């Protein structure tokens, strides 16, 4: 399926009860998503109900351009992690801004990607589900241009993959990279270089799998700091060099590349530094970065962790999310309640941050002085107020969010909003 056609057809969906916050009159009129976008309604006066999550059009474009420039400057290929947004429209924008492909975490995500024409998928996990492997075998057989790569981190995993692919009758081998674990008490991955070699030997003994590189995730290095992360990345690079010296990439043709991949959203500066030192191998190296949270950034967790804090000369990401909720109760001078809660806002890492207030009487937007979100119920936000707070029932409170992954997944259709409040598009998600 052509990516452009599939993504374009998202505009043909009817605006209806499935999509929270969208104008009820748009559903009554039988509008499609595309027709509603063409009306360029205002987020505040165009009939949207609260709570409503908005994504800044300008910030998204800025962030897309910044990571493209960063990757090019450092000689990195880029496969941003799609689990962040699960949005085919944003995938298309990321590819337009130079992404090599899109990273997935589980087979279902890869199925979504394929439904929208993604031709290169890097799945950062070992896949041992036979049903998923049968589907993969079919996709690879049906489309010679489809490139799929996934982790292997155990001999048993290799055995299970081989069994499932043999039973599926595959004739095209599945490309895999050996995952080096980030240390004891870290997450997945073979823990030692000898363990990695054993996994590579198991791959070589099959005809259904093909070793194409090494990979891992530096964000799981225990007690991570710059030195520890770089030390682990040097281990990853050395593993690639040792595998190459031992002839473990012999299945690759002279026109192909050895893949070395790492890079979450917290340490990609370290990845860039260490990958710049990869020695010359027998084939060119595809240095594949996988950071995903950059597309929206945030006002909490990643605002503090982003490598751009350490390398300010490289630029700065912009937070793109703002959740708007209305004050529905003001029971005391020290307390208020808004109509957004855990069903609407990310809360797994930090609570939302009250940033601005839109006055219900005048439409004026002012800073949220003296206003703090102190807790969330399912459908209510608990707000503490001080004497300087100007807040009454009906006012809109605009909140910054922490953790993009658990912001996107609460909304199936997200207005893309320009700085003046004009809604230019709607971002569809598939979680």
């Amino acid at each position: 399926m052509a990516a452009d056609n599939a993504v374009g057809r998202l505009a043909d969906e009817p605006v209806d009860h499935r999509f929270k916050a969208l104008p009820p009159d748009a559903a009554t009129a039988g509008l499609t998503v595309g027709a509603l976008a063409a009306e360029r309604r205002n987020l505040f006066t165009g009939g949207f109900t609260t709570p409503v999550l908005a994504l800044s059009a300008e910030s998204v474009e800025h962030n897309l351009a910044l990571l493209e420039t960063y990757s090019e400057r450092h000689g990195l290929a880029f496969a941003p992690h799609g689990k962040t947004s699960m949005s085919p429209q944003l995938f298309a924008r990321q590819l337009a801004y130079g992404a090599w492909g899109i990273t997935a975490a589980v087979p279902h995500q890869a199925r979504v990607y394929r439904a929208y024409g993604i031709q290169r998928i890097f799945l950062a996990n070992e896949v041992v589900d036979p049903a998923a492997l049968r589907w993969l075998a079919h996709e690879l057989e049906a489309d010679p241009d489809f490139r799929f790569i996934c982790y292997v981190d155990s001999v048993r995993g290799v055995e299970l993959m081989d069994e499932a692919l043999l039973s599926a009758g595959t004739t095209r081998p599945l490309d895999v990279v050996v995952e080096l674990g980030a240390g004891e008490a870290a997450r997945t991955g073979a823990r030692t270089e000898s363990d990695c070699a054993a996994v590579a030997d198991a791959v070589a003994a099959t005809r259904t799998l093909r070793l194409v590189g090494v990979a891992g995730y530096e964000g799981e290095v225990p007690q991570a700091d710059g030195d520890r992360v770089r030390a682990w990345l040097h281990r990853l690079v050395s593993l690639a060099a040792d595998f190459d010296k031992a002839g473990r990439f012999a299945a690759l043709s002279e026109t192909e590349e050895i893949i070395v991949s790492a890079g979450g959203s917290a340490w990609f500066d370290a990845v860039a530094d260490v990958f710049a030192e990869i020695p010359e191998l027998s084939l060119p190296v595809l240095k594949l970065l996988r950071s995903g949270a950059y597309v929206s950034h945030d006002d909490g967790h990643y605002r503090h962790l982003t490598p751009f804090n350490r390398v300010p000369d490289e630029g700065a990401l912009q937070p793109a999310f703002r959740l708007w909720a209305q004050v529905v109760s003001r029971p005391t001078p020290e307390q208020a309640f808004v109509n957004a809660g855990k069903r609407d806002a990310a809360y797994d890492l930090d609570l939302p941050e009250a940033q601005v207030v839109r006055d219900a009487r005048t439409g004026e937007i002012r800073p949220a002085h003296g206003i703090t979100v102190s807790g969330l119920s399912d459908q209510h936000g608990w707000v503490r107020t001080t004497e300087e707070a100007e807040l009454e029932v009906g006012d809109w409170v605009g909140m910054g969010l922490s953790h993009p992954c658990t912001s996107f997944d609460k909304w199936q259709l997200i207005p893309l909003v320009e700085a003046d409040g004009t809604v230019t598009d709607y971002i569809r998600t598939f979680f």
Side-chain angles (χ1 to χ4, degrees):
M1 180 183 292
D4 290 345
N5 291 340
V7 173
R9 282 195 287 274
L10 290 171
D12 298 332
E13 281 196 275
V15 175
D16 58 26
H17 60 277
R18 292 171 297 162
F19 306 124
K20 57 186 180 180
L22 297 196
D25 67 286
T28 303
L31 296 183
T32 63
V33 172
L36 180 59
E39 291 187 354
R40 295 177 63 86
R41 296 195 185 192
N42 185 277
L43 186 71
F44 306 109
T45 61
F48 293 85
T49 62
T50 56
V52 57
L53 182 65
L55 195 61
S56 164
E58 294 89 351
S59 294
V60 168
E61 289 300 306
H62 169 86
N63 294 342
L64 289 167
L66 181 60
L67 259 291
E68 178 184 37
T69 300
Y70 184 88
S71 298
E72 289 177 348
R73 183 183 299 126
H74 292 280
L76 301 169
F78 190 30
H81 212 315
K83 72 175 175 64
T84 299
S85 71
M86 287 305 295
S87 169
Q89 291 150 289
L90 293 179
F91 299 160
R93 298 300 295 144
Q94 289 170 312
L95 292 168
Y97 274 90
W100 173 90
I102 305 293
T103 295
V106 293
H108 166 71
Q109 293 168 358
R111 290 183 60 209
V112 173
Y113 300 1
R114 288 298 288 161
Y116 289 91
I118 303 301
Q119 286 293 91
R120 290 174 176 163
I121 298 173
F122 185 101
L123 198 149
N125 253 326
E126 188 169 68
V127 181
V128 295
D129 181 335
L133 289 162
R134 286 194 297 271
W135 171 79
L136 271 173
H138 176 269
E139 289 292 303
L140 290 166
E141 295 287 339
D143 185 355
D145 295 324
F146 173 42
R147 182 83 192 272
F148 180 90
I149 302 160
C150 72
Y151 283 176
V152 285
D153 82 342
S154 65
V155 172
R156 175 58 177 157
V158 170
E159 292 172 354
L160 291 170
M161 295 173 78
D162 186 43
E163 290 172 9
L165 292 169
L166 284 172
S167 69
T170 187
T171 60
R172 181 180 169 191
L174 178 64
D175 287 346
V176 296
V177 291
V178 172
E179 182 193 6
L180 174 66
E184 292 303 321
R187 205 160 64 185
T188 55
R191 289 298 191 255
T192 67
E193 281 73 5
S194 61
D195 290 340
C196 289
V199 175
D201 287 341
V203 170
T206 76
R207 65 173 180 80
T208 59
L209 303 175
R210 186 176 75 140
L211 185 65
V212 298
V214 299
Y217 175 48
E218 76 291 340
E220 284 295 313
V221 169
Q223 299 176 312
D225 60 21
D227 290 341
R228 290 186 177 93
V229 167
R230 283 175 171 80
W232 178 82
L233 287 165
H234 282 295
R235 284 183 61 200
L236 183 68
V237 168
S238 295
L239 181 67
D242 290 346
F243 274 14
D244 186 48
K245 186 177 180 180
R248 296 189 185 278
F249 301 126
L252 293 173
S253 73
E254 62 183 14
T255 63
E256 293 183 288
E257 298 168 304
I258 296 167
I259 293 172
V260 182
S261 179
S265 295
W267 292 104
F268 56 74
D269 58 331
V271 174
D273 290 346
V274 175
F275 280 13
E277 302 171 7
I278 292 177
E280 184 175 350
L281 302 183
S282 63
L283 293 170
V285 176
L286 185 73
K287 304 170 185 179
L288 193 61
L289 184 69
R290 306 192 308 271
S291 313
Y294 81 100
V295 69
S296 65
H297 197 44
D298 73 3
D299 278 298
H301 185 69
Y302 287 107
R303 178 178 64 191
H304 300 303
L305 288 183
T306 177
F308 288 116
N309 292 337
R310 297 186 290 270
V311 288
D313 290 345
E314 299 266 19
L317 293 168
Q318 296 176 1
F321 277 129
R322 180 162 283 173
L323 177 64
W324 290 95
Q326 270 187 296
V327 179
V328 293
S329 181
R330 190 79 161 97
T332 73
E334 296 80 29
Q335 192 174 43
F337 291 88
V338 296
N339 62 347
K342 293 178 179 179
R343 304 300 176 99
D344 313 296
Y347 61 92
D348 56 318
L349 295 178
D350 301 287
L351 288 171
E353 175 186 87
Q355 295 177 329
V356 294
V357 175
R358 185 178 188 275
D359 193 291
R361 298 179 188 272
T362 67
E364 174 195 3
I365 294 179
R366 60 179 180 268
H369 294 314
I371 300 171
T372 304
V373 178
S374 59
L376 296 176
S377 301
D378 277 357
Q379 306 287 182
H380 291 89
W382 295 59
V383 176
R384 288 198 310 266
T385 56
T386 65
E387 289 183 0
E388 65 177 324
E390 298 178 61
L391 198 64
E392 65 177 347
V393 170
D395 288 346
W396 291 41
V397 179
M399 295 171 282
L401 301 177
S402 179
H403 199 188
C405 299
T406 52
S407 298
F408 277 107
D409 70 1
K410 293 172 176 57
W411 296 82
Q412 293 186 66
L413 205 61
I414 304 170
L416 188 68
V417 185
E418 293 182 341
D420 66 358
T422 301
V423 179
T424 61
D425 203 355
Y426 296 86
I427 302 301
R428 186 72 158 91
T429 67
F430 292 89
F431 285 93

